[in-house]
């Protein structure tokens, strides 16, 4: 699974295509590849890890 492709599709489902979706997807993919997530999340399958990181990023963006 390609992390950037996975998260970009998720962001585009919520935000539509555009710069905000691209930036959010890149941010999440970088965090995933660097392993910058809670320890409990690292034991989960990659797709679950990516989806959790996407939700966290979307919530953070909505909070401002």
């Amino acid at each position: 699974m390609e992390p950037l492709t996975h998260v970009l599709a998720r962001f585009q489902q919520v935000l539509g295509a555009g710069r905000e979706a691209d930036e959010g997807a890149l941010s999440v993919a970088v965090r995933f590849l660097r392993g910058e997530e809670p320890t409990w999340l690292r034991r989960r399958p990659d797709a679950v890890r990516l989806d959790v990181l996407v939700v966290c990023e979307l919530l953070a963006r909505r909070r401002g």
Side-chain angles (χ1 to χ4, degrees):
M1 169 186 3
E2 175 65 38
L4 184 55
T5 302
H6 181 86
V7 296
L8 183 57
R10 296 289 193 248
F11 271 94
Q12 288 179 344
Q13 285 177 330
V14 176
L15 302 174
R19 184 177 179 163
E20 188 176 6
D22 294 348
E23 289 174 353
L26 183 59
S27 174
V28 168
V30 167
R31 285 183 62 201
F32 173 79
L33 293 171
R34 289 183 179 168
E36 297 173 356
E37 67 231 13
T39 304
W40 64 267
L41 189 54
R42 291 185 196 136
R43 294 186 296 263
R44 305 292 187 260
D46 287 352
V48 172
R49 291 170 54 204
L50 288 166
D51 287 344
V52 169
L53 291 173
V54 166
V55 170
C56 291
E57 182 71 18
L58 287 168
L59 290 173
R61 287 175 178 269
R62 294 212 174 161
R63 285 187 205 124

